[in-house]
Amino acid sequence: MGSTSAENGAGKSTDDAAARHGAGGVGRRALIKRSAALGLASVPAMGLLSACASGGGGDESNDDTRGETSKDNPFGVKKGTKLDVVIFKGGYGDDYAKAWEAAFRKKWGVTSTHTGTQEITGKLQPRFNAGNPPDIVDNSGAQKIKIDVLYRNGQLLDLAEVLDAPSVDDPSKKVRDTVIPGTLDPGLQEGKVVALNYIYTVWGLWYSGKLFEEKGWEVPKTWADFLAICKDAKSQGIGGLAHQGKYPYYINVAIMDLIAKKGGLDAMKAIDNLDPKAFAGSDAAQAAVEAVYEVVEKGYLMPGTNGLDHTESQTRWNQYKAAFITSGSWLENEQLKQTPPDFDMKFLPMPLLEGSEMPFEAIRAGSGEPFIIPAKARNLPAAKEFMRMMLSREWSTLFAKEANSLTILKDGVDPSVQLRPGTQSTVEASKAAGDNTFRFLYTEWYSEMDTAIQNASNELMARRIQPKEWLKRAQAAVDKAAKDPASKKNRRD
Amino acid sequence: MRKGQYRFVAGFLLVPVALYLIFVIWPYIQTFGYSLTDWKGQSQTFSFVGLDNYEALFRDDIFMGAIWHNILFLVFIPVITILLALFFAFMLNAGGRGRAGGVSGVAGSKFYRVVYFFPQVLSLAILAVLFRAVYRSDGGGMLNGALVKLGLVDADRPVEWLNEPDFVLWALIVVVVWHGVGFYLVLFSAAMQSIPKDIYEAALIDGASRGQSFFRITLPLLWDSVQTAWVYLGIAAMDMFILVSTMTSGEFGGGPDHHSEVMATVMMRNFLYYGKSGYACAMGVIMLLLTLILSVVMLRATRRERIEF
């Protein structure tokens, strides 16, 4: 029966199989017998639990992958060993990693098995569970394994050893000191860096330089200017703001960034630290949500944007169907094929609400694309060396060339590399921002709370709830996370 | 049976039974075991928490809501699919005007049969992509595009089919029914063709109308097939994972705001995204129980005297 078995997709419990046999004519008797057997069978399960608990492959000695350490080889990489690399093949592709692996093989004589995939969880969860993880993983995309979950299970290597090793380019410096300040923070769990967020990302609004020139629009610095452009756009049959409605993550960038800019770093930290007044009773939060809701209420959203997924809405925006879109700096590479050659993609910090604490230039900036080394990796020395090489100028430049994006390495791109307009504009924006950068961490720390706030935002954008209700729901999500004993230890100052 | 034959038969049965135990029964037992722990799904460390997960389940509004959505699917998907399939099958096999005294389908029924069966050829993944394009929330969507052209929908406010709490479940039901009708049509057709033509002819001579011959002859003689269809569709309605997770918003679908959540999507989100795998296993056990109960109840409720012909 093709149809019903096809419906048994991933994640579908196999329960139905038993019932289906019953349906096929075997009859009720067999069915009842089977369920009775199940009942009996579940009794010994209690005893078997302890067996499961000790089932995960114990601590294997990694001696066969460890070589002599030296000044140039701080981790003791051994020639002829193998490295198991898994790369998320998303907006940045995985060509950059192939280029790295070739360079690694040339230098260290370590061959790698390369896996480029979008199904990180599906491919890796069984391996983590079995105690047989890869050596280095780019744990990103919609199906990444949550870092907080991995960390709580003791699966992640503390990266301090790599970060304190001498830099490849300048052995007098530690690796830690060659990266842009603050970019290691998102990889923190309980004070330890367990994930290296390798790509330098800025978040905010994006527009087409060509469209703006054509229409004579100035880059808006205040929310009022922003609304004025949206209004003008609408009168000309263009949507104002587009967002990737199927994934409310993106509109949360707008809401949360307005909160941070209006209320300053304290408003941001209140949310990350699960403050009982993070949203309810916060003037900044109220002003921000009301401002975004104004866009909805006045009909400045691109028609239908609430139900579109990221590629659909971004492509519409590339077709000049909307003036602005919210996204991070992976946008340009992701849309490479859909962007007209003269589109002139440009980045713009969130415009200011009245009485904001931060200047217009302030941006949400930080690092994305977390690379992790599993604690039980077979070839730890090579994995650590691989990560150290990633933070060399040579590899950072390779990345910029292959993936059209910046890395967290300070001045990490060779000046000979020509950047695309969007990436170039993020370089300028982050220079202008200087120290005025901020970065929310609750998304990495509290998945459930993040989901609840995203749901509320989706309702807000669809006009099914009002800003007041949004604040209430967001605060409820914060309060719920605060009560969960599993998430007590994260705190930022 | 002669001596020695038992051993021979048992020898053949042993391997399949062992395979069944290992790959079907053992995972159930493991799942049940995990459901009593706080397993997080990324390693083999966890501790025993007794029935805490089950207790939490009954206070979980999202999971409870998901059960209700499954029940709604359970009520509507089998009924609509079977009724449509029966109607079409009857028309194709016995619905033609009694030309020259014979019993036949409407004109061109062979062609229709192929057309109706066609959706069945598509996998659910393709179906999801296809219907995402149909339900697309801007003017580029098939439905919205047509409605805007007809002037029924304001181009500035297209209907966000899959983002409307009131529409999303119905939008999904349409997809499942669209997909399923063809298959059950063929199933019922096969059963109808095995009904002796003389019965119809006798009815025709006695002056039975189409409706009468359907309700008095066709349906009673088809009851076994309908019953089978009912159970299969019921099980499909308890699942719905692929369609919901790929078509609706949210991590593993279920959006907007949990309005299209089914048990499987809530389970997957807890299992993989929130790292509450033990809790998700408890959901799996509940799903197993509900599906078993459902099958037993449906087989019981539809039991009838078998009509021999």
Side-chain angles (χ1 to χ4, degrees):
Chain A
M1 219 172 197
S3 87
T4 31
S5 60
E7 275 153 33
N8 283 330
K12 176 69 170 57
S13 65
T14 40
D15 316 348
D16 300 346
R20 194 175 308 120
H21 287 293
V26 182
R28 293 172 296 283
R29 235 154 49 93
L31 193 74
I32 291 164
K33 263 195 269 172
R34 253 176 231 143
S35 47
L38 263 181
L40 284 178
S42 56
V43 179
M46 316 278 285
L48 289 163
L49 262 183
S50 51
C52 296
S54 53
D59 291 324
E60 279 166 51
S61 126
N62 286 314
D63 281 350
D64 54 338
T65 58
R66 182 163 295 131
E68 299 273 311
T69 55
S70 69
K71 212 171 138 226
D72 291 334
N73 186 4
F75 305 115
V77 178
K78 194 169 165 186
K79 231 181 178 161
T81 53
K82 284 204 158 52
L83 189 70
D84 189 345
V85 184
V86 177
I87 299 291
F88 169 67
K89 196 174 174 178
Y92 302 109
D94 66 344
D95 290 341
Y96 68 87
K98 286 180 186 155
W100 286 349
E101 286 163 36
F104 198 68
R105 189 174 56 239
K106 220 164 130 197
K107 176 154 186 203
W108 294 103
V110 173
T111 46
S112 53
T113 41
H114 174 95
T115 312
T117 179
Q118 301 213 353
E119 304 160 46
I120 298 287
T121 293
K123 292 227 161 93
L124 296 189
Q125 199 202 20
R127 297 188 58 184
F128 273 110
N129 260 315
N132 175 36
D135 296 312
I136 193 158
V137 181
D138 167 15
N139 181 30
S140 295
Q143 297 184 40
K144 67 182 167 196
I145 310 183
K146 299 297 287 187
I147 291 284
D148 50 345
V149 174
L150 274 178
Y151 173 76
R152 280 199 297 255
N153 280 288
Q155 294 283 20
L156 297 179
L157 187 77
D158 183 351
L159 301 177
E161 208 184 328
V162 178
L163 298 172
D164 290 330
S167 151
V168 177
D169 297 321
D170 179 2
S172 69
K173 274 190 187 163
K174 284 181 183 173
V175 169
R176 192 186 287 280
D177 301 326
T178 61
V179 305
I180 297 170
T183 49
L184 295 174
D185 292 354
L188 281 173
Q189 293 284 340
E190 297 181 7
K192 286 181 226 159
V193 178
V194 293
L196 179 80
N197 285 258
Y198 183 67
I199 295 171
Y200 185 73
T201 310
V202 298
W203 287 264
L205 289 171
W206 296 77
Y207 63 95
S208 154
K210 183 192 169 202
L211 183 72
F212 269 54
E213 197 169 311
E214 240 174 60
K215 305 282 178 195
W217 293 331
E218 295 270 326
V219 176
K221 298 210 163 170
T222 69
W223 196 250
D225 294 344
F226 170 79
L227 289 176
I229 293 179
C230 287
K231 189 178 176 187
D232 193 33
K234 196 191 173 190
S235 71
Q236 303 190 39
I238 303 171
L241 177 68
H243 75 114
Q244 299 79 338
K246 199 181 174 212
Y247 304 106
Y249 162 87
Y250 290 88
I251 197 64
N252 270 0
V253 169
I255 298 175
M256 294 295 167
D257 288 11
L258 284 174
I259 294 178
K261 288 177 94 160
K262 165 103 183 163
L265 291 177
D266 288 339
M268 172 185 75
K269 287 175 190 163
I271 297 170
D272 287 344
N273 288 334
L274 308 178
D275 193 285
K277 284 187 177 164
F279 293 107
S282 155
D283 293 339
Q286 190 180 343
V289 179
E290 278 171 359
V292 171
Y293 191 64
E294 207 177 337
V295 178
V296 183
E297 229 179 1
K298 293 195 165 152
Y300 296 159
L301 285 182
M302 180 174 83
T305 193
N306 286 330
L308 298 182
D309 71 16
H310 59 301
T311 33
E312 289 167 347
S313 55
Q314 285 160 192
T315 302
R316 292 299 252 189
W317 169 72
N318 277 150
Q319 294 161 351
Y320 307 107
K321 296 278 199 292
F324 302 98
I325 196 164
T326 51
S327 190
S329 44
W330 59 83
L331 178 68
E332 185 167 47
N333 201 54
E334 193 168 51
Q335 292 299 110
L336 222 48
K337 286 196 192 120
Q338 286 79 21
T339 310
D342 58 349
F343 188 78
D344 194 20
M345 198 179 285
K346 284 279 195 299
F347 172 80
L348 158 77
M350 283 308 285
L352 284 187
L353 296 172
E354 238 169 273
S356 284
E357 296 227 338
M358 286 195 194
F360 165 72
E361 287 77 19
I363 42 174
R364 180 194 302 221
S367 40
E369 209 82 357
F371 282 75
I372 54 172
I373 300 180
K376 290 186 184 136
R378 276 200 67 78
N379 196 350
L380 272 178
K384 290 179 200 163
E385 181 60 31
F386 194 86
M387 193 171 268
R388 189 172 79 111
M389 300 275 296
M390 277 166 61
L391 292 167
S392 70
R393 195 143 192 228
E394 182 199 342
W395 283 29
S396 169
T397 304
L398 272 177
F399 182 83
K401 250 196 266 177
E402 299 281 353
N404 291 310
S405 286
L406 304 178
T407 73
I408 58 170
L409 198 69
K410 265 185 249 171
D411 295 319
V413 183
D414 204 84
S416 64
V417 177
Q418 177 79 37
L419 295 170
R420 301 185 69 86
T423 310
Q424 186 57 42
S425 74
T426 62
V427 173
E428 283 151 25
S430 67
K431 265 190 200 141
D435 288 341
N436 281 314
T437 62
F438 57 92
R439 170 79 196 260
F440 286 92
L441 294 180
Y442 75 92
T443 47
E444 317 297 313
W445 286 350
Y446 310 112
S447 319
E448 259 189 283
M449 165 179 150
D450 185 26
T451 306
I453 299 178
Q454 286 189 25
N455 275 337
S457 300
N458 184 43
E459 296 301 285
L460 184 84
M461 299 316 280
R463 287 183 87 159
R464 287 192 288 269
I465 63 172
Q466 310 289 309
K468 239 192 196 149
E469 176 71 13
W470 188 93
L471 291 167
K472 226 161 79 193
R473 287 178 61 163
Q475 186 63 48
V478 169
D479 295 343
K480 194 176 170 212
K483 259 190 237 141
D484 186 356
S487 51
K488 270 260 160 75
K489 288 178 189 158
N490 287 315
R491 213 186 147 74
R492 65 190 297 190
D493 301 308
Chain B
M1 237 184 254
R2 270 191 293 125
K3 219 182 143 204
Q5 260 183 345
Y6 281 110
R7 221 182 303 156
F8 183 71
V9 172
F12 270 103
L13 285 179
L14 204 64
V15 175
V17 167
L19 285 175
Y20 187 77
L21 283 175
I22 293 171
F23 292 109
V24 180
I25 302 297
W26 177 239
Y28 286 150
I29 298 170
Q30 265 190 324
T31 303
F32 183 74
Y34 281 133
S35 77
L36 303 173
T37 70
D38 63 353
W39 184 43
K40 294 188 188 70
Q42 304 293 350
S43 78
Q44 288 294 342
T45 40
F46 46 73
S47 46
F48 184 75
V49 295
L51 293 174
D52 284 8
N53 285 331
Y54 291 93
E55 225 176 281
L57 258 188
F58 288 102
R59 279 182 277 113
D60 186 336
D61 295 340
I62 296 169
F63 188 68
M64 288 295 139
I67 292 184
W68 282 113
H69 294 152
N70 274 120
I71 290 175
L72 191 103
F73 284 141
L74 193 59
V75 171
F76 286 98
I77 290 176
V79 171
I80 301 175
T81 311
I82 289 176
L83 284 182
L84 283 176
L86 271 178
F87 173 72
F88 288 136
F90 182 72
M91 292 311 270
L92 291 189
N93 288 289
R97 308 231 164 245
R99 281 163 311 200
V103 178
S104 65
V106 293
S109 60
K110 276 194 182 135
F111 171 70
Y112 287 133
R113 206 167 301 171
V114 175
V115 171
Y116 283 133
F117 192 73
F118 186 69
Q120 193 66 32
V121 182
L122 303 175
S123 85
L124 276 174
I126 295 173
L127 211 65
V129 174
L130 201 73
F131 273 88
R132 267 189 60 75
V134 171
Y135 291 134
R136 196 180 148 130
S137 63
D138 63 1
M142 197 180 106
L143 268 177
N144 272 320
L147 290 172
V148 168
K149 284 254 158 64
L150 291 171
L152 295 172
V153 162
D154 179 3
D156 278 346
R157 289 181 158 267
V159 187
E160 292 162 8
W161 300 101
L162 296 171
N163 192 33
E164 291 283 351
D166 298 337
F167 291 156
V168 63
L169 289 176
W170 300 107
L172 291 165
I173 287 176
V174 166
V175 181
V176 180
V177 170
W178 184 85
H179 179 238
V181 164
F183 179 82
Y184 292 100
L185 177 148
V186 172
L187 180 77
F188 295 151
S189 288
M192 279 180 197
Q193 272 157 12
S194 71
I195 298 172
K197 291 248 161 61
D198 0 344
I199 301 182
Y200 283 109
E201 277 160 13
L204 275 178
I205 292 165
D206 288 347
S209 69
R210 265 193 225 172
Q212 277 170 326
S213 63
F214 175 78
F215 283 106
R216 298 286 169 84
I217 300 171
T218 314
L219 193 57
L221 292 176
L222 276 183
W223 196 252
D224 274 355
S225 309
V226 172
Q227 192 188 21
T228 309
W230 198 279
V231 175
Y232 273 101
L233 284 164
I235 289 166
M238 292 299 275
D239 171 15
M240 294 293 288
F241 177 76
I242 293 189
L243 281 186
V244 175
S245 65
T246 45
M247 290 178 69
T248 61
S249 64
E251 209 61 49
F252 294 105
D257 202 22
H258 307 301
H259 283 288
S260 67
E261 212 78 76
V262 290
M263 288 186 281
T265 55
V266 184
M267 182 182 87
M268 282 302 274
R269 191 174 315 115
N270 277 280
F271 190 78
L272 291 178
Y273 193 68
Y274 296 160
K276 292 176 155 184
S277 304
Y279 186 50
C281 284
M283 293 182 187
V285 171
I286 298 289
M287 284 171 68
L288 165 70
L289 280 180
L290 288 180
T291 316
L292 279 178
I293 292 170
L294 169 83
S295 314
V296 174
V297 167
M298 284 203 295
L299 284 167
R300 282 266 147 144
T302 53
R303 185 157 59 167
R304 282 203 180 179
E305 224 29 52
R306 197 189 192 107
I307 301 165
E308 305 277 347
F309 52 83

